[in-house]
Amino acid sequence: MPSPALAALDAADLPYRVIRHGPVGSLAEAARARGVPVPDVVKTIVVRRGPDDHLFVLTPGDRVISWPKLRALLGVSRLSMPDAAAAKAATGYARGTITPFGATTAWPVIADERLRGREITLGAGEHGAAVAVDADAALTALAATVADVTDPEPER
């Protein structure tokens, strides 16, 4: 029985390839394990707009959400990130495995415009696995709103 994420990809008739890589401790490690550049490891971030109102934000691995840009796009003054338990309750997925594909609720998807025109990797709904998909096809399947919603990852 495929995971909910793989079942959703199959139902969307979206070609994908599963990459099983075992546990990773960082985004850079995930990129190495998946054999892709860091920007192609897409982070799926659950954002809370209000009570029982969430959305998914897809960002390239080398970028972070720009809260001012995202608030302006959504026309709201306040957004927050739920804790791990609330994110799991909203999506059905544990942190580190979250994907919009097969989530328990089909929340809206906002994708950073820099994802277009590439092959990307996303969580597959389970630890140690990812799926590689054509970004444009995935964004179309998700009916994603595509916009500039990120900033470069800050220097550490």
Side-chain angles (χ1 to χ4, degrees):
M1 178 85 183
S3 72
L6 299 185
L9 287 160
D10 289 340
D13 203 24
L14 198 60
Y16 64 91
R17 151 175 82 76
V18 177
I19 304 166
R20 298 204 180 275
H21 53 67
V24 293
S26 69
L27 198 120
E29 239 180 81
R32 281 193 299 280
R34 296 175 188 182
V36 300
V38 168
D40 292 343
V41 175
V42 173
K43 299 179 281 189
T44 301
I45 301 163
V46 180
V47 174
R48 183 178 180 272
R49 221 178 344 200
D52 201 34
D53 182 13
H54 296 81
L55 53 107
F56 293 107
V57 180
L58 305 180
T59 69
D62 62 341
R63 298 185 69 84
V64 296
I65 291 175
S66 166
W67 294 102
K69 290 177 188 176
L70 186 58
R71 285 191 303 267
L73 176 72
L74 297 171
V76 298
S77 59
R78 189 168 184 279
L79 294 167
S80 62
M81 289 177 51
D83 64 22
K88 183 166 186 180
T91 67
Y93 293 122
R95 190 168 277 163
T97 72
I98 295 173
T99 174
F101 289 103
T104 51
T105 301
W107 302 112
V109 176
I110 309 290
D112 187 71
E113 65 188 12
R114 291 158 191 85
L115 298 179
R116 283 192 249 184
R118 319 191 337 226
E119 182 181 73
I120 57 172
T121 63
L122 291 164
E126 59 187 89
H127 287 289
V131 291
V133 296
D134 175 80
D136 296 329
L139 299 179
T140 298
L142 293 166
T145 297
V146 180
D148 176 13
V149 293
T150 65
D151 289 326
E153 180 83 48
E155 295 291 324
R156 293 179 187 226

